């Protein structure tokens, strides 16, 4: 004979377990980790805890991507300048962009009116951008990167969602903070390149005297 | 007492009263209100009840926000209301299509004041990446007053919470004197837009009429798409035909007694009048037994429309057979194959809708993704969408002289619409649908006891914007017709404008629960043409990601099946917990929770980060087995679940094959067919795993299949994690402007929802000439009516839940 409802009760013990856990684990967490700032769940922890946004945030991984930003060499709070910006207006980001939301005007030398390797205007339409990260992935100059800032709620869109060249620029210091690993790798790579360059230059010098 | 009197007769008493009023009582109405305002605002800001209403990918993140990890209840907004009458916040979460926008406006009109709108994500805000599509509205703010916009695609749950807080701050600024809903003049309702030859905003109908009567109605394109001729027939092997197709065409010609089949490369081109005959003989052929129509689609060539059929067998393993039939351009029509393979039903309707090829003998040939009355067949090469800019990206206007310009600024109507010349909105009559609105007169004429009920497109249990027209006798279903296209966002048309690489992030947005699987399928299809093989490590990473996706998807679908059965949200919340952790893994590796965009031709985008493997190992070896076991223990033998699911929605084995059902639906009907075994792609031939099947074919069997498949996926994951080799992750150099050799390929993978196929025709340039997605969610719905007939209305919801559809993929 089968008793109806037995399995149902068995299932309810699981619900009860969750209920109890929410107090035992939840309380412990509340006292131990109050206001940790950035948090991350470990798979070995039981259940999933509630992130108390905005008091604490889920720490995003380094590769996390929202909107692209342009990088210039400098400190936080500095104003970007043509000399410090990394973008060369080569246009690869605009060409690889799937919804075609990047607009670049190549700069001109004010004296000769010849095109220079700098962008004079740079727009990203956040209303079209799909956050895919291709621009950052294929940029040969490490000039465009994906930002982590997701807090972008705004009461209008016609002005604030068009990011122009001034709004897009962030410093390398800021980038190094959000992407420490990628920044480290970049430094190593640049140093290797510089060393190689110096070595070839030195070799050329060595060969030069006899001639 | 008025102030003036006090001024004229200031006695001591009155002076005292004046003092008291100034300092103790609040004499002025304004000041009183200022005191009330904070309380009034606090009340509204702390109980924002959102409408239970989701449109696309963003809705998934909205659900995640409501789940335990982010817990929107902390903001007093946990009460997602299924009825607009009880809601005061509309979160427009996803792409707003032209077909859907009338319903959205209607819902908004039904919401009582005070009401707020959050536009979530790039699509709702302005059309987003799908803006250029012919069925996409360029922003919900064209119709509704939006309070807060969120950028992002999709915004993460925390971003949504931030938007909610932004809205709360906005509410804090309001004052009871000025709020819209206490003004003397009532705000008029927003007129519901009309579906004519294109979307008609009735507030602009005069302007539309005037413009259509006189000036140009379409922008003048600088460059038109180039068409190529259809592939040549190759009667012999010397001319490039595959030996198998030469042999098969000979056999078929002798079988039907005339010369009607000719080989063309590795496919067969058949005369239209012989199509049904050839189909029947292939299906009944003892050696081939091609009983399964995997894919049906069409391409538009210079000289013809070519309809393509991909066939395979569930009984005998073997390569796929590709049939092609050509229809002339003037009056394209072909015989319907739905009598041979009923699974052709929806796919033929799609070809009719998008290409205008008629299928003679089709039982119900009408538009499926667009609406009746829409002007033009949008997938034809000569159909130019309103925002048409060029035949293919990269658009030259973006670089060197890329002054920003919105798409609206360069088209005649300043919107994503186009109308035929001489169009007058007031003269438009909506083409007749078989269900006319009920009037007192029509009520008198109703005979019998049946009535028509509409489920959707806004319905909490339709898993998105899906509609079912149901004819019921009491509670019993007599007939059911799925109506879709409410999220048709022109994936294929945009795909043909894109370069090959650009399609990757768009595939993420097909089945947005399983973006890794979609990436995989597309990579497999194009790699066939490119002849590239990814390195070992990349192959393993791909398999790990695909199997994690399967686990994630089945958690999701079981959770929401239980939701549909009425176990409101507890099982779903438990299932979502594990999903969140898998999403953490995806985010680590690819940078996004849902839109991974992780695979590339010949590899993956980036190597696994350091922290990935420890996390993944712990998840796969310890946590997920426990979680699946718990879910199994929690639900599988539950009496209510058994009563609701057993013998409900039965799809017999033969019907499952005939209707081209795929994935868990097919295997739940006892057919042991899985692309990972039938046509092993990547490195699936190396792993030891079983293909679970259940013969019953009911909702319960489909539920159990999913549990069993999760166990099998874990098995594969354990093997893959153990054997994961080191080394490269990309074959050759990573290119952004890849050119693909001319030819065509059909690549398919076993996605969690079934066989996901990509049909790509290349003309040797950097963007595909034809790009088609065989969507399992779409084709699995063909058998929905059969499953639902004779059951109760409440069962329909459970049956739909057990098929597990995602509208992004159904409507594409």
């Amino acid at each position: 004979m089968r008793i109806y409802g037995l399995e149902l009760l068995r299932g309810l013990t699981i619900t009860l377990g969750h209920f109890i856990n929410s107090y035992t684990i939840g309380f412990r967490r509340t006292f131990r980790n109050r206001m940790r700032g950035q948090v991350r769940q470990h798979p070995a922890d039981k259940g999933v805890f509630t992130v108390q946004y905005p008091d604490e945030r889920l720490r995003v991984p380094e590769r996390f991507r929202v909107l692209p930003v342009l990088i210039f060499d400098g400190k936080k709070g500095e104003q970007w300048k043509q000399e410090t910006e990394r973008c060369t207006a080569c246009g690869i980001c605009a060409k690889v962009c799937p919804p075609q939301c990047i607009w670049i005007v190549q700069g001109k030398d004010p004296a000769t009116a010849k095109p220079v390797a700098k962008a004079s205007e740079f727009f990203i339409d956040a209303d079209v951008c799909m956050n895919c990260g291709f621009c950052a992935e294929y940029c040969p100059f490490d000039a465009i990167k994906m930002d982590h800032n997701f807090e972008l709620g705004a009461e209008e869109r016609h002005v604030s969602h068009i990011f122009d060249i001034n709004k897009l620029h962030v410093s390398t210091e800021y980038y190094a903070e959000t992407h420490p690993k990628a920044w480290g790798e970049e430094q190593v790579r640049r140093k290797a390149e510089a060393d190689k360059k110096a070595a070839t230059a030195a070799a050329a010098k060595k060969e030069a005297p006899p001639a | 007492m008025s102030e003036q009197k006090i001024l004229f007769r200031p006695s001591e008493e009155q002076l005292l009263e004046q003092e008291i009023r100034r300092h103790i009582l609040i004499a002025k109405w304004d000041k009183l209100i200022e005191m009330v305002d904070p309380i009034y605002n606090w009340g509204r800001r702390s109980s924002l009840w959102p409408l239970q209403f989701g449109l696309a990918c963003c809705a998934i993140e909205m659900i995640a926000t409501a789940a335990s990890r982010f817990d929107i209840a902390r903001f007093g907004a946990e009460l997602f209301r299924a009825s607009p009458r009880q809601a005061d916040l509309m979160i427009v979460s996803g792409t707003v299509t032209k077909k859907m926008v009338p319903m959205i406006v209607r819902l908004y009109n039904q919401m009582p004041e005070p009401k707020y709108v959050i536009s979530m994500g790039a699509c709702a805000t302005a059309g987003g990446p799908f803006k250029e599509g012919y069925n996409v509205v360029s922003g919900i703010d064209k119709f509704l007053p939006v309070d807060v916009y969120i950028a992002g695609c999709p915004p993460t749950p925390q971003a949504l919470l931030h938007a909610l807080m932004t809205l709360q701050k906005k509410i804090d600024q309001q004052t009871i004197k000025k709020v819209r809903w206490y003004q003397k003049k009532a705000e008029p309702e927003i007129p519901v837009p009309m579906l004519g030859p294109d979307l008609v905003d009735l507030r602009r109908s005069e302007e539309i009429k005037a413009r259509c009567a006189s000036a140009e109605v379409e922008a003048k394109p600088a460059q038109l798409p180039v068409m190529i001729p259809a592939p040549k027939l190759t009667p012999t092997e010397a001319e490039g035909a595959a030996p198998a197709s030469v042999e098969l065409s000979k056999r078929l010609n002798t079988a039907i007694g005339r010369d009607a089949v000719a080989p063309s490369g590795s496919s067969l081109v058949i005369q239209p009048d012989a199509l049904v005959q050839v189909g029947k003989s292939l299906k009944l052929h003892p050696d081939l037994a091609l009983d399964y129509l995997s894919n049906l689609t069409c391409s538009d060539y210079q000289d013809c429309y070519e309809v393509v059929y991909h066939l395979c067998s569930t009984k005998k393993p073997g390569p796929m057979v590709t049939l092609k039939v050509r229809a002339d351009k003037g009056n394209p029509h072909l015989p319907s194959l739905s009598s041979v393979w009923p699974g052709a039903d929806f796919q033929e309707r799609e070809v009719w809708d998008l290409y205008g090829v008629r299928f003679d003998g089709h039982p119900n040939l009408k538009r499926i993704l667009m609406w009746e009355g829409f002007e033009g067949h949008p997938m034809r090469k000569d159909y130019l969408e309103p925002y048409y800019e060029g035949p293919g990206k990269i658009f030259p206007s973006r670089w060197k002289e890329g002054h920003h310009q919105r798409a609206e600024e360069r088209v005649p109507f300043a919107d994503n619409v186009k109308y035929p010349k001489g169009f007058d909105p007031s003269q438009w009559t909506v083409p007749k649908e078989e269900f006319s609105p009920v009037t007192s007169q029509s009520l008198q004429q109703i005979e019998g006891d049946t009535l028509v009920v509409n489920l959707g497109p806004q319905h909490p249990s339709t898993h998105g914007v899906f509609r079912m027209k149901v004819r019921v006798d009491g509670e019993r279903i007599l007939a059911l017709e799925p109506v879709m296209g409410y999220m048709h966002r022109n994936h294929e048309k945009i795909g043909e404008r894109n370069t090959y690489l650009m399609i990757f992030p768009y595939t993420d947005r097909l089945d947005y629960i399983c973006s890794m699987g979609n990436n995989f399928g597309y990579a497999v299809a194009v790699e066939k043409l490119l002849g590239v093989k990814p390195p070992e490590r990349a192959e393993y990473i791909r398999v790990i990601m695909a199997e994690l996706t399967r686990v994630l998807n089945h958690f999701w679908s079981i959770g929401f099946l239980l939701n549909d059965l009425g176990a409101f949200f507890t099982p779903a919340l438990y299932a979502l917990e594990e999903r969140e952790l898998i999403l953490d893994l995806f985010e680590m590796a690819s940078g996004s929770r849902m839109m991974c965009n992780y695979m590339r031709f010949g590899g993956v985008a980036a190597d696994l980060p350091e922290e990935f493997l420890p996390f993944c190992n712990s998840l796969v070896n310890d946590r997920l087995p426990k979680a699946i076991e718990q879910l199994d223990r929690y639900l599988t033998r539950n009496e209510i679940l058994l009563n609701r699911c057993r013998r409900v929605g039965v799809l017999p084995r033969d019907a499952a094959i005939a209707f081209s059902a795929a994935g868990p639906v097919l295997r739940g009907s006892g057919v042991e067919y899985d692309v990972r075994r039938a046509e092993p792609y990547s490195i699936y031939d190396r792993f030891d795993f079983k293909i679970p099947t259940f013969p019953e074919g009911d909702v319960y069997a489909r539920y159990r299949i999913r549990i069993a498949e999760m166990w099998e996926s874990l098995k594969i994951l354990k093997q893959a994690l153990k054997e994961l080799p080191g080394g490269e992750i990309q074959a050759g150099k990573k290119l952004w402007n890849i050119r693909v050799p001319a030819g065509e390929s059909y690549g398919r993978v076993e996605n969690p929802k079934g066989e996901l196929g990509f049909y790509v025709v290349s003309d040797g340039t950097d963007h595909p000439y034809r790009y088609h997605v065989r969507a399992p969610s779409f084709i699995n719905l063909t058998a929905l009516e059969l499953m639902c007939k004779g059951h109760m209305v409440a069962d329909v919801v459970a049956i739909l839940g057990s098929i597990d559809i995602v509208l992004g993929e159904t409507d594409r």
Side-chain angles (χ1 to χ4, degrees), chain A residues 94-103 125 127-130, chain B residues 95-98 122-123 126-139 198 370 374 378-379 383-395 397-398 405-408 410-411 415-418 488-499 502-503 505-506 509 767 812:
Chain A
K95 289 175 198 163
V96 81
C97 174
Q100 298 277 287
C101 71
I102 301 181
W103 307 71
D125 193 334
D127 284 343
V128 178
C129 176
M130 70 202 295
Chain B
T95 316
V96 181
T97 63
K98 291 178 187 171
C123 286
F130 296 96
K131 184 169 185 170
E132 62 194 283
Y134 50 83
N135 191 28
V136 177
V137 174
S138 304
D198 205 325
M370 302 306 286
F374 179 75
M379 279 304 289
Y383 178 93
L384 304 181
E385 54 273 36
Y387 285 158
Y388 176 83
E389 202 171 341
K393 293 169 187 171
I394 307 154
F395 298 138
S397 63
R398 298 299 194 272
Q405 184 191 34
R406 286 175 202 274
E408 287 94 327
R410 54 177 174 78
V411 292
D415 201 357
N416 190 9
V417 287
K418 67 174 196 179
H488 176 48
R489 40 189 189 182
N490 331 123
H491 184 85
E492 292 178 8
K493 189 84 178 174
I494 295 174
E496 287 174 19
R497 303 257 180 265
N498 281 349
T499 64
M502 289 175 185
I503 293 176
Y506 280 94
R509 287 150 180 86
H767 55 268
R812 281 153 291 148

Side-chain angles (χ1 to χ4, degrees), chain B residues 633-652:
Chain B
R633 200 150 40 90
Y634 184 35
L635 300 171
T636 306
R637 283 181 300 280
N638 183 307
E639 288 90 351
I640 302 173
L641 184 100
L642 286 172
N643 282 350
R644 288 293 310 274
C645 295
R646 267 195 188 159
R647 291 179 289 280
V648 170
V650 177
L651 182 66

Side-chain angles (χ1 to χ4, degrees), chain A residues 4-5 10 45 47 50-51 53 58 63 65 89-90 98 100 104 106 127 130-132 137 154 157-158, chain B residues 68-69 74 128 141 149 153 393 395 398-400 402 406 509 589 596-597 600 607 623 637 643 734:
Chain A
Y4 195 86
R10 211 156 77 104
D45 298 344
T50 302
V51 181
Y53 182 86
L58 199 61
R63 289 181 190 170
R65 47 187 154 83
C90 72
Q100 298 277 287
I104 306 170
Q106 194 171 18
D127 284 343
M130 70 202 295
N131 308 161
C132 70
E137 194 177 325
R157 73 177 174 97
H158 289 279
Chain B
S68 42
R69 192 179 209 181
R74 294 180 295 120
D141 57 349
Y149 299 92
C153 184
K393 293 169 187 171
F395 298 138
R398 298 299 194 272
W399 176 60
K400 270 196 174 168
R406 286 175 202 274
R509 287 150 180 86
C596 300
N597 185 20
R600 301 285 178 271
D607 205 348
R623 187 170 173 132
R637 283 181 300 280
N643 282 350
K734 208 154 132 184

Side-chain angles (χ1 to χ4, degrees), chain B residues 515-533:
Chain B
S515 61
M516 286 283 192
N518 307 339
N519 281 187
F520 201 174
Y522 177 61
V524 164
V526 178
E527 277 164 9
K528 269 190 189 176
L529 279 174
L530 285 169
V532 181
K533 206 182 155 348

Side-chain angles (χ1 to χ4, degrees), chain B residues 453-530:
Chain B
V453 177
N454 233 331
L455 284 137
Q458 149 57 17
H459 189 278
S461 73
T462 51
H463 293 224
V465 283
F466 176 66
R467 174 175 162 208
M468 289 175 282
K469 282 200 276 195
V470 187
R471 185 170 281 281
V472 288
D473 175 7
E475 279 269 317
R476 297 251 166 240
I477 309 291
L478 298 179
L480 179 144
E481 190 192 339
V483 185
M484 47 197 113
Y486 295 98
M487 216 180 100
H488 176 48
R489 40 189 189 182
N490 331 123
H491 184 85
E492 292 178 8
K493 189 84 178 174
I494 295 174
E496 287 174 19
R497 303 257 180 265
N498 281 349
T499 64
Y500 282 96
L501 185 71
M502 289 175 185
I503 293 176
F504 267 117
Y506 280 94
T507 62
D508 290 335
R509 287 150 180 86
L510 277 171
D511 173 355
Y512 32 75
I513 313 267
C514 322
S515 61
M516 286 283 192
N518 307 339
N519 281 187
F520 201 174
Y522 177 61
V524 164
V526 178
E527 277 164 9
K528 269 190 189 176
L529 279 174
L530 285 169

Side-chain angles (χ1 to χ4, degrees), chain B residues 654-672:
Chain B
D654 293 342
I657 300 169
F659 279 105
S660 300
V665 181
L666 186 67
R667 292 189 286 274
S669 296
V671 184
E672 200 184 322

Side-chain angles (χ1 to χ4, degrees), chain B residues 17 33 36 57 78 109 185 237 275 314 327 332-333 338-339 353 375 382 406 415 459 497 553 565 603 657 790:
Chain B
E17 197 186 319
I33 286 174
V36 173
C57 341
E78 77 274 32
N109 283 341
K185 226 176 104 193
E237 280 172 48
L275 180 64
T314 56
H333 67 105
S338 56
S339 58
D353 187 359
E375 176 84 5
D382 58 3
R406 286 175 202 274
D415 201 357
H459 189 278
R497 303 257 180 265
N553 178 75
L565 288 171
I657 300 169

